[in-house]
Amino acid sequence: MNLTSIKKYVAECIGTMVLVIFGCGTAMLTGPGSSGAAYIATALAFGLTIVAMAYSVGNISGCHINPAVSFGVFITGGISLKDFIGYIIAQFTGALTGTGILAMIWGMGGITDQTGKPDTVLGIKTGTLGLNGFGANTMDGVGGNHFAGFFVEIILTAIFVFAILGVTSKKAKHGSFGGIVIGLTLTVVHLFGIGLTGTSVNPARSFGPAFCAMCGGNFKPIAALWAFLLGPMIGAALAAIAYKFLESDDAPKTV
């Protein structure tokens, strides 16, 4: 492994960590309720963090900070298999680190109380560390229709990754505004999806809080994690296949 690859993986780890800290951290502060203001705040936190990271580490690693995005880029030939694996490991490591930092900030080991309700620390609703779930007021992995949530994650991720592939295409002419477009897309995706699944579209972002919850004795989120791991990856694959077809050069070749 050369130094360039190591720098890429470190950048992905840092970027994913920052995304979890600010995105999930904002969700913790606003709580898992159905408040419109809470939705907007959380959506903006995720979107603006992506913008910041795009202009911070984008020139180093491409700022995927999301296994689904890396999968889409891999399918379209943007990264090698070695880098894809390295990115995935770095992203999950970053998500776990970010979640651990949030847990330390709130000074808690467990995520919920004995009744399964969101815990509070110093009177602040933790929102169960920004866990994904099913239903407007259910962010602990239970309630709602799991397969409906799975379908939502496929659609949301497909839209998000499709936009990223378009913005980052060599044929794109967005100049230096690509990061802003991607951040705004993630914001819109969150505005729609928060009330349905808490919006994952990022397996690493979902894994960090679910794993931390399991360590605290709450196994419900980890049992529902399959939807937030598999759904985004399927959505990314669909987006990559569709975009690769649309961007392909179908002009007849001359000899």
Side-chain angles (χ1 to χ4, degrees):
M1 186 183 299
N2 57 42
L3 184 59
T4 300
S5 294
I6 293 174
K7 289 180 178 179
K8 288 180 181 180
Y9 306 153
V10 171
E12 285 296 303
C13 180
I14 292 173
T16 310
M17 178 188 71
V18 173
L19 180 68
V20 169
I21 290 174
F22 284 97
C24 293
T26 301
M28 291 166 67
L29 287 168
T30 56
S34 57
S35 167
Y39 283 7
I40 294 172
T42 302
L44 285 174
F46 276 102
L48 292 176
T49 301
I50 283 290
V51 173
M53 289 300 98
Y55 293 106
S56 299
V57 301
N59 60 323
I60 300 171
S61 67
C63 189
H64 298 181
I65 60 179
N66 182 339
V69 173
S70 295
F71 190 41
V73 174
F74 170 68
I75 291 175
T76 57
I79 58 174
S80 65
L81 176 61
K82 183 191 75 172
D83 276 344
F84 171 61
I85 295 172
Y87 274 36
I88 295 292
I89 295 173
Q91 290 155 359
F92 275 88
T93 301
L96 285 171
T97 304
T99 308
I101 289 173
L102 289 175
M104 289 175 62
I105 291 174
W106 264 262
M108 61 180 187
I111 309 304
T112 59
D113 62 19
Q114 295 299 317
T115 65
K117 296 180 180 179
D119 199 359
T120 59
V121 177
L122 300 178
I124 301 174
K125 293 182 178 180
T126 64
T128 60
L129 284 183
L131 283 162
N132 293 111
F134 307 100
N137 297 305
T138 308
M139 296 299 131
D140 61 355
V142 296
N145 188 312
H146 287 213
F147 287 99
F150 173 63
F151 180 71
V152 167
E153 285 297 321
I154 292 175
I155 299 301
L156 293 181
T157 308
I159 293 170
F160 180 49
V161 173
F162 191 80
I164 290 175
L165 294 175
V167 169
T168 59
S169 169
K170 294 179 179 180
K171 297 180 181 180
K173 299 179 180 180
H174 300 289
S176 60
F177 294 99
I180 296 175
V181 174
I182 294 171
L184 289 175
T185 303
L186 185 60
T187 300
V188 172
V189 165
H190 272 78
L191 286 173
F192 178 80
I194 287 176
L196 300 173
T197 64
T199 306
S200 171
V201 303
N202 185 333
R205 165 261 184 275
S206 295
F207 177 77
F211 181 82
C212 191
M214 182 181 68
C215 292
N218 180 7
F219 293 89
K220 295 177 183 178
I222 207 76
L225 186 61
W226 68 271
F228 304 108
L229 295 179
L230 187 58
M233 299 304 275
I234 292 176
L238 293 175
I241 293 170
Y243 193 83
K244 195 172 183 179
F245 168 74
L246 293 174
E247 196 183 40
S248 62
D249 185 5
D250 55 2
K253 295 182 179 180
T254 58
V255 179

